Amino acid sequence: AEYAGARKPVHIIEEPMAAAIGADLPVHEPSGNMIVDIGGGTTEIAVIALNGIVIDESIRVGGNELDQAVVQYFKKHHNLLIGSRTAERIKCEIGSAQKLDPELELSVKGRDLVTGVPKTRVVTSEDVREALRQGVNQIAAAVVRALEGTPPELGGDVLDRGIMLTGGGALLKGLDEYLRERTELPVFVAEDPLTAVVRGTGRVLESPEEYAAVLTS
């Protein structure tokens, strides 16, 4: 950024820290706060206390990976080739991490891999849930690993305060409930989770002195 002409000093803020600030978590306090930021390319899991990241777990599973899982599922089980934009729409409209009541259906257009001509298939939320299962399980396993590595005192804080979900992936239906069952901890979705990181970064820009301790340069 400096080489591009940005005025010095240039500061760096870690993505989970920005997400935590955007989700209104008290990052200045000595008590532990767990944030799970599910972005497009990665999922960042962190325990934050006293303006610092105590535990940081990152995996290359995010919204894009889940979209590709939907594409591959349709190829394998329906002989239907769909694009990534269609896969994202399917994920957002009928994708879920838990059973839905009622289950949903969606008409999907793609190219039949056998005949090569366009076809329409009706798919169910059970189909999409199966497609997303591996990615969702990987996210849950990473959360459990982060919890296992958290110091006992901060783990007690997380037990009381719960886990906050941010990022576009947090909008997947039933993900909070699924993680609640896997961890046996309270799990919450931030208000407008899609913009938590950018809102947190904006707050730091507005009050750089207040958040100086969370920045590196």
Side-chain angles (χ1 to χ4, degrees):
E2 289 175 357
Y3 289 155
R7 193 163 31 156
K8 294 183 179 180
V10 174
H11 296 291
I12 296 172
I13 183 168
E14 297 284 352
E15 187 171 357
M17 179 65 78
I21 294 170
D24 295 321
L25 295 182
V27 298
H28 301 314
E29 296 182 4
S31 52
N33 298 276
M34 177 171 267
I35 186 94
V36 178
D37 181 58
I38 308 168
T42 61
T43 293
E44 303 276 349
I45 302 147
V47 177
I48 295 170
L50 286 174
N51 296 311
I53 294 177
V54 182
I55 296 293
D56 188 12
E57 181 87 22
S58 178
I59 60 171
R60 285 198 164 280
V61 177
N64 298 339
E65 183 90 5
L66 297 179
D67 294 344
Q68 283 305 305
V70 173
V71 171
Q72 294 303 318
Y73 184 88
F74 273 77
K75 276 173 129 177
K76 182 177 179 182
H77 296 277
H78 293 280
N79 285 325
L80 194 70
L81 182 63
I82 61 172
S84 57
R85 288 179 60 185
T86 300
E88 183 181 21
R89 181 174 69 88
I90 294 167
K91 178 188 69 180
C92 292
E93 292 190 19
I94 65 173
S96 68
Q98 293 280 74
K99 289 183 178 179
L100 300 178
D101 186 21
E103 296 287 358
L104 305 174
E105 291 186 347
L106 187 66
S107 181
V108 176
K109 295 176 183 177
R111 189 173 80 234
D112 191 299
L113 289 172
V114 177
T115 64
V117 299
K119 283 289 176 68
T120 300
R121 295 272 191 280
V122 175
V123 296
T124 67
S125 48
E126 291 105 321
D127 289 331
V128 184
R129 189 161 55 250
E130 182 61 31
L132 300 176
R133 186 179 308 280
Q134 182 178 354
V136 170
N137 284 342
Q138 287 178 287
I139 293 171
V143 172
V144 171
R145 282 197 303 274
L147 287 168
E148 289 172 348
T150 302
E153 296 82 3
L154 298 181
D157 296 333
V158 175
L159 177 63
D160 294 336
R161 294 168 176 249
I163 300 169
M164 182 66 73
L165 304 183
T166 61
L171 296 169
L172 182 66
K173 299 176 184 64
L175 182 60
D176 53 340
E177 182 184 346
Y178 178 78
L179 291 176
R180 199 175 298 131
E181 289 182 2
R182 285 288 299 267
T183 63
E184 298 183 353
L185 294 173
V187 179
F188 309 98
V189 178
E191 184 177 353
D192 192 11
L194 190 61
T195 63
V197 171
V198 73
R199 283 187 288 112
T201 306
R203 285 189 189 176
V204 175
L205 284 169
E206 289 171 355
S207 307
E209 296 84 7
E210 180 184 353
Y211 291 104
V214 309
L215 299 173
T216 58
S217 61

